[in-house]
Amino acid sequence: MALWLLWLLAVTGTGGSGEVPPVPRAVPEPPRAVPEPRAVPEPPRAVPEPPRPVPGSPQVVPEPPQEVPEPRAVSDAELRELSEQLLAADSNRAGPGQLELNLQGSGSDSAASRLFSYVSPALLARPTFSRLLALLDNYEPLTGQDEVETVEEQREQREFLDAALGTPVLQLLESFVLSKGLYPSSEAFRADLHSMWFGLYSRSSGKALDSSGFEHVFHGEVKKGSVSGCHNWVQLQALERAGRLEYLGYTWDGPWTGFPDVLSLRFRWDGHSKPRGSLLVGSSPEFDLALFTLCFLARPDRQCQVSLGGEAATIQTYTWDKQRLVASAYPLTP
């Protein structure tokens, strides 16, 4: 073999086997670090739309909240106007020849003649008068002793209020307080009327439930030896007829020539003195109740300016312990 051929075989590494030497494997490069993907904030979730109503199915529509009207203030002009309307509607007040007074002298300490010369029995037989008289024997006048209300007495309270509420006078008042938003309904007004006048409280420092607005104003009480309240002429004439009232003269008589009149007087009841007390004379029980209630609602614990037959008058009311209970109500006099 020629020398150059042997040299070629040595250089290429081929031998007589005829195998081709393996091609060396490429060493793979180490993997490059792949950067972590940045966190992509999730898009806000869509608020699902309310399901669309199925055609033909009833839809529930929420009712709007009912607004309770704010009570509106009562002006002095409205008080004067309504008091005149109440007076005009008071067909049960004493008419000509139904009530005669004997005022006599002024401010005397000696017993004068009877104050009521004549009171028509037909007047006292009218429903509100007769039901008021039925109530007047239910009370213990001395404070410090519990007022025990029997079932019959509670019935008499309701009958008196029902009779009064059936008159044009109380119907006018009811319509007015409802129109001013003072009550949401007739039922609410009537329930409060009973509560403010017949709700019991204590005039003896909590020792007894011995008083109410009705007892104090329409019946009267005796506290520490003196008469307290007693601002109703029907009660005075009943006490005088029973021989329990000594009329001691008047201190002021209003300008009215008919009824109702406003009178300030002095008297003794079962020996207990009332140095000075004022009241409406000749009015019906429903008129007193309506006028005092109006002023109690519109001007509690203040003077209430009203008008009676074109003449100015002032009603003073008081609440009991700042509660919605009548403590007193009466016309102011000079």
Side-chain angles (χ1 to χ4, degrees), residues 196-197 201 203 212-219 229-232 274 277-280 288-297 299-302 304 314-319 325-332:
M196 72 174 69
W197 284 103
Y201 51 80
R203 288 187 188 267
S212 68
F214 180 86
E215 179 183 2
H216 184 83
V217 175
F218 286 85
H219 180 273
C230 198
H231 301 291
N232 182 256
K274 177 78 173 181
S278 57
L279 65 160
L280 297 166
D288 286 17
L289 182 69
L291 189 64
F292 292 160
T293 299
L294 170 64
C295 289
F296 180 75
L297 293 175
R299 300 289 187 273
D301 300 306
R302 288 182 288 162
C304 178
T314 304
I315 304 298
Q316 176 71 57
T317 65
Y318 291 103
T319 59
L325 299 170
V326 176
S328 192
Y330 54 88
L332 286 177

Side-chain angles (χ1 to χ4, degrees), residues 107-301:
S108 171
D109 283 330
S110 60
S113 60
R114 293 172 65 90
L115 170 60
F116 298 93
S117 301
Y118 176 75
V119 182
S120 167
L123 178 64
L124 298 178
R126 292 177 179 175
T128 52
F129 284 88
S130 62
R131 284 169 172 76
L132 172 62
L133 289 166
L135 276 173
L136 294 178
D137 62 356
N138 293 348
Y139 296 98
E140 168 55 58
L142 293 176
T143 58
Q145 301 186 31
D146 281 308
E147 290 293 348
V148 179
E149 296 180 343
T150 66
V151 173
E152 181 183 0
E153 290 172 349
Q154 292 174 349
R155 176 181 55 79
E156 290 175 345
Q157 293 174 8
R158 293 192 299 271
E159 289 179 346
F160 169 69
L161 286 183
D162 286 346
L165 286 163
T167 65
V169 176
L170 260 295
Q171 290 170 1
L172 265 175
L173 177 63
E174 182 176 315
S175 297
F176 179 79
V177 297
L178 292 179
S179 71
K180 300 296 288 185
L182 300 178
Y183 293 93
S185 64
S186 295
E187 292 76 15
F189 166 66
R190 295 179 179 214
D192 195 36
L193 187 67
H194 184 277
S195 175
M196 72 174 69
W197 284 103
F198 291 101
L200 292 173
Y201 51 80
S202 177
R203 288 187 188 267
S204 53
S205 302
K207 296 178 182 178
L209 289 176
D210 53 5
S211 185
S212 68
F214 180 86
E215 179 183 2
H216 184 83
V217 175
F218 286 85
H219 180 273
E221 300 171 291
V222 175
K223 184 175 182 178
K224 297 180 180 180
S226 297
V227 176
S228 177
C230 198
H231 301 291
N232 182 256
W233 75 269
V234 178
Q235 166 70 335
L236 289 188
Q237 66 83 34
L239 291 173
E240 188 175 69
R241 191 172 65 250
R244 302 174 60 188
L245 181 82
E246 297 176 76
Y247 169 59
L248 302 176
Y250 73 98
T251 58
W252 190 79
D253 182 21
W256 295 272
T257 56
F259 296 119
D261 193 6
V262 179
L263 187 65
S264 181
L265 70 165
R266 306 175 67 185
F267 61 88
R268 279 193 291 263
W269 172 13
D270 289 344
H272 305 290
S273 66
K274 177 78 173 181
R276 181 175 178 174
S278 57
L279 65 160
L280 297 166
V281 181
S283 52
S284 69
E286 62 264 31
F287 181 80
D288 286 17
L289 182 69
L291 189 64
F292 292 160
T293 299
L294 170 64
C295 289
F296 180 75
L297 293 175
R299 300 289 187 273
D301 300 306

